Every structure is written in structure tokens, then in C-alpha cells.
Amino acid sequence: MDYKIKEIANSICQISNHALEEIENLLRPKTIGKGTVFIREGQGIQLEYFLLEGICKSYLISPEGEEVTISFFTSKSILSPYTTRVNNQRSLLNFRALTDVHLASMDAAAFEQLMIENLEIRNFGNVVLRKELALKVDKEIGLAALTAKERLLAFRERYPSLENQIPHTDIASYLGITNVSLSRLRKDLSR
Amino acid sequence: MDYKIKEIANSICQISNHALEEIENLLRPKTIGKGTVFIREGQGIQLEYFLLEGICKSYLISPEGEEVTISFFTSKSILSPYTTRVNNQRSLLNFRALTDVHLASMDAAAFEQLMIENLEIRNFGNVVLRKELALKVDKEIGLAALTAKERLLAFRERYPSLENQIPHTDIASYLGITNVSLSRLRKDLSR
DNA sequence: CAATCGCATTAACAAATGATAAAAAGGAGC
DNA sequence: GCTCCTTTTTATCATTTGTTAATGCGATTG
């Protein structure tokens, strides 16, 4: 199937071709247009996703009704499955395509069964989960202990070039500031 | 064994006495004095913990060398195992007892094996994990979208009475503000 | 009881961030 | 190229939060 799947999987951890094939057998490609919300909070879902091409964000609606960006996903990554499928298969988050997006989806229950049967795939799933948690802890400490300027610099390190590809409003809410403040910081850092 | 284990487990999800016994067979009680750090970042660990009595926090050291509180744990809860054991059994976080603490620990590998063998226990483990993630998402949106005052109010809802039992410095770093700001907010809210 | 230690509170000032509105800059479609 | 529409930047002012340092206060201890 798609060579990109192998690339994504190996960016997570080493995995044999055999195990990879088992995963690939479950995958179905899917294309989604820019701006589309393809997972909704509270929605019953039973799919896991590989992001082959494009950019997405996960987000929640704040008490004030604004979209708060939780994470960004760039080409060749995995759309954090456990965060997505928490609570009896109901998603905790919304996902929106920020560009045209090419996905490969698979049935979550079938993948879970694979994890039980196959030690290698179980390990793979666990590593995905652990990396996701590590990112969350990083973001948490960033929001709690760094200034907005430092958070912007950290964002640029982690997502080089994203700043020029997506609306700044989305980045600002990821950083926990307003888009006006983001604009100020950008100006400040450019001198 | 300890009736508290049953109480903790059932606060997570319904679980049969049989499955509970399998878990209890793995448990070993342990007492820890106030102030002790009993899990260290980067430390190799292979234990999961039930918190029977007392209060703990998980934390990280910020770039400036300060302790940043990530989570609080109060009596009768589970010390988020996956966050703890991420990265090949190395802990991502430090844990400190904020009062004298009574724990029950179990071997993580043995528990993982139980999860594979027993559907009920697997489900239990997954629910623990999902609840933990849901909390992280909640905290994330709080830090990104709420004011410090709103975060303090949310903290009070979630941890009633904790404000009078532990140092305010720990609470302030959990909220992402300084202890001076916390004191100001407390005064402001008391009028 | 006095001295001391650890926190919490206050105060005063500086810096960062938010809110609102207006201006400028880009992009999409015609 | 022009128009319309959205996004970004700028400007102004209000508010919040940080920093530093002093003060208060309770618990512990000698």
C-alpha cells in the first residue's frame, strides 16, 4: 500500500514488514477538503487515522464559544487515537482540516484486536500513546511556566513553517493568547 | 485486602470481585512521609500505585529551576500510570507526597499481563487511561482559554478543601501563576 | 517566653496581555 | 486591474500578572 504508512510507522518506532502489513490491511484512504470538520466532540467514532498529507488541528469550544486549538498535526503523523476515542468511543475533541487533507482510516476495534494478538503491534500502539502523553506534558509545562514569547519560540521549533501555512488565530489559541498579542510578539521577535 | 481498593476501583468503573481479587493479589502496601519524592523523572520504575490515604502532586522542573505542578492526587485515587511509566519504563514526572501518604503498589508488567488475559481488567485499565486523558484535555483548555481567576474557581470545584491543606506555591504553579498572584486572587474572591 | 523559620499577604511599580477599533495587507473571484 | 472579503497589523487604553521587597502570622524550638 502507501509507502507513507511505513514512513509514519517507523517515525514512531521500528516495526516489521509483517506487522505493518497487518495494519495496512485495515486502512482505507480518504480525502477531505480544507476547512472540513471531520471528527466532532461527542460524536460516536470508531476509526483511527493516519495523516498522509496536509495539516489538521484538534480543538474544543471554550465557555466563551471560541475554538481553542489543542494540537496541530502535520503531514505523516497519527491523529492521537486515544484522545480521540476516549469515553466509550465518543470523541473528546473536534478535528478540522486546515488544508486539503489525505487520510487513511482504520477500524479502531479491529486495531485493538490486533494489539491483543500481536506483541509488536501492541508495543507500537503503546509507543504512540506514550509519545502523545509526553507531548501533552510538554505543552502543559509550557502553558504553566513559560511566557507567551517563549511559547511562541517553542512552537516555531516544534512546527517549523507552520506559522506561514495556517491562520494565526489558530496558533494564538494554541499558545493561549489572542491573535492581537501574537501579532505583537511576531513584530517584537522580528527585530 | 483493603476495602479502599474496591472503593477506588468502583469509582473508576464497575468491576467484578473476581477481577478485583486478581488485582489485589499484586498489591503491596507502603507508607511514605510528608515531603518525600517517591518517583523521579527519568528514573526506571515498574510500579503502578493506588493512593489509599493522603495527598500527592506530580511535577516537573521548569527551565528556571522551579517545580511546576502538573496534577494533584487526593485520597482514594490512582497515580496516573501511563503518564508515570512513559518512555520505556522511565518516568516523565516527579511525584512528591504533600502529606504522609499510604500507597499500594503493584508490578506494572504483571498488571499489563493481566490486561491481556482478562477482558474486564483490560477495560478497567483503558478507562483509567481515558479518564486521565480527559482530565489533561480539560486542564489544557483551562490554561489556554480561561483567566487565572476562572482557573482558580475551577480548581476549587475540582479539589474542594485542597486549598487549605497544601502549600499555596504548589497550587499557584498548577494554575500557571505566581504565589503572589494567587494571594491577590484569593483576596479578590473573598469580597 | 523569645527567637526563628516558613509561608502568606501586602504594597508599589514594571511589564505583559487583553479589548476594541481602525488601518493595512493579501487573496479570491470577476 | 478592481472589488469584496478575510486576515493581519497597528494603535490606544484598561486590566492583569510579574517582580521585588517588606510585613505579618502561626508553628516550632531552644
Side-chain angles (χ1 to χ4, degrees):
Chain A
M1 212 202 148
D2 199 317
Y3 71 94
K4 283 176 186 162
I5 299 294
K6 183 166 189 171
E7 201 177 330
I8 295 173
N10 280 322
S11 76
I12 304 291
C13 68
Q14 282 297 337
I15 187 168
S16 73
N17 281 333
H18 171 69
L20 203 55
E21 265 172 41
E22 297 234 52
I23 293 175
E24 287 181 341
N25 287 337
L26 298 178
L27 289 173
R28 301 286 173 270
K30 193 174 184 180
T31 298
I32 282 179
K34 174 174 172 173
T36 308
V37 178
F38 60 96
I39 301 177
R40 283 179 199 280
E41 185 184 352
Q43 182 190 45
I45 49 165
Q46 60 281 47
L47 300 177
E48 308 283 13
Y49 294 94
F50 286 73
L51 173 55
L52 304 178
E53 201 58 56
I55 304 170
C56 321
K57 70 167 181 178
S58 62
Y59 68 98
L60 273 176
I61 305 299
S62 77
E64 288 78 28
E66 309 259 297
E67 291 189 5
V68 180
T69 303
I70 301 293
S71 304
F72 291 111
F73 301 90
T74 51
S75 280
K76 293 168 192 152
S77 57
I78 293 181
L79 300 192
S80 43
Y82 281 85
T83 313
T84 311
R85 294 177 28 249
V86 152
N87 273 335
N88 299 333
Q89 317 301 347
R90 310 246 153 226
S91 175
L92 272 182
L93 302 176
N94 307 284
F95 281 72
R96 182 192 294 278
L98 299 178
T99 64
D100 286 351
V101 147
H102 191 190
L103 299 171
S105 66
M106 67 182 171
D107 186 83
F111 181 72
E112 218 163 281
Q113 190 52 42
L114 267 189
M115 277 183 67
I116 293 169
E117 292 166 3
N118 184 318
L119 176 63
E120 204 182 349
I121 291 177
R122 179 159 72 244
N123 182 56
F124 174 79
N126 284 333
V127 173
V128 170
L129 179 54
R130 286 168 184 181
K131 290 206 172 184
E132 185 193 333
L133 266 169
L135 287 183
K136 285 219 170 299
V137 171
D138 267 6
K139 189 176 175 201
E140 209 166 337
I141 197 176
L143 284 168
L146 304 181
T147 65
K149 190 183 293 185
E150 292 168 322
R151 296 202 295 277
L152 173 55
L153 290 171
F155 166 82
R156 286 176 171 178
E157 289 255 335
R158 170 163 303 150
Y159 301 105
S161 88
L162 206 51
E163 200 171 340
N164 305 312
Q165 296 181 275
I166 61 176
H168 286 181
T169 303
D170 293 331
I171 298 174
S173 88
Y174 177 82
L175 297 175
I177 57 180
T178 63
N179 53 348
V180 177
S181 289
L182 174 55
S183 180
R184 261 196 297 243
L185 293 175
R186 281 162 50 76
K187 182 179 181 184
D188 193 53
L189 287 171
S190 72
R191 278 181 292 149
Chain B
M1 213 202 144
D2 199 318
Y3 71 93
K4 283 177 186 160
I5 299 293
K6 184 165 189 172
E7 202 177 329
I8 295 173
N10 280 323
S11 76
I12 304 291
C13 68
Q14 283 296 336
I15 186 167
S16 73
N17 282 334
H18 171 69
L20 203 55
E21 266 172 42
E22 297 235 52
I23 293 175
E24 287 181 342
N25 286 336
L26 298 177
L27 289 173
R28 300 287 173 272
K30 193 175 184 180
T31 298
I32 282 178
K34 174 174 172 173
T36 309
V37 178
F38 60 97
I39 301 177
R40 282 180 199 281
E41 184 185 352
Q43 183 190 43
I45 48 164
Q46 60 282 46
L47 301 177
E48 308 283 14
Y49 293 94
F50 285 74
L51 173 55
L52 304 178
E53 201 56 57
I55 305 170
C56 320
K57 70 167 182 178
S58 62
Y59 67 98
L60 273 175
I61 306 297
S62 76
E64 289 78 27
E66 311 258 297
E67 292 189 4
V68 181
T69 304
I70 301 293
S71 303
F72 292 110
F73 301 89
T74 51
S75 280
K76 294 170 191 151
S77 58
I78 293 181
L79 300 193
S80 43
Y82 281 85
T83 314
T84 312
R85 295 177 28 249
V86 151
N87 273 334
N88 299 334
Q89 318 300 349
R90 309 249 152 225
S91 175
L92 272 182
L93 302 176
N94 307 284
F95 282 71
R96 182 192 293 278
L98 299 180
T99 65
D100 286 350
V101 148
H102 191 191
L103 299 171
S105 66
M106 67 182 170
D107 186 83
F111 181 72
E112 216 163 283
Q113 189 53 41
L114 268 190
M115 277 184 67
I116 293 168
E117 292 166 4
N118 184 319
L119 176 63
E120 204 182 349
I121 292 177
R122 178 158 73 243
N123 182 55
F124 174 79
N126 284 333
V127 173
V128 170
L129 179 54
R130 286 167 185 180
K131 290 207 173 183
E132 186 192 333
L133 267 168
L135 288 183
K136 285 218 169 302
V137 171
D138 267 5
K139 188 174 175 202
E140 208 166 338
I141 197 176
L143 285 168
L146 303 181
T147 65
K149 190 182 294 185
E150 292 168 321
R151 297 201 295 276
L152 173 55
L153 289 171
F155 166 82
R156 286 175 171 180
E157 288 255 336
R158 169 175 182 81
Y159 299 107
S161 89
L162 207 50
E163 199 171 340
N164 306 312
Q165 297 181 275
I166 61 176
H168 286 181
T169 304
D170 292 331
I171 298 175
S173 88
Y174 177 82
L175 297 175
I177 57 180
T178 62
N179 52 349
V180 178
S181 289
L182 174 56
S183 180
R184 262 196 297 244
L185 292 175
R186 280 163 51 77
K187 182 179 181 184
D188 193 52
L189 288 171
S190 73
R191 279 181 292 147

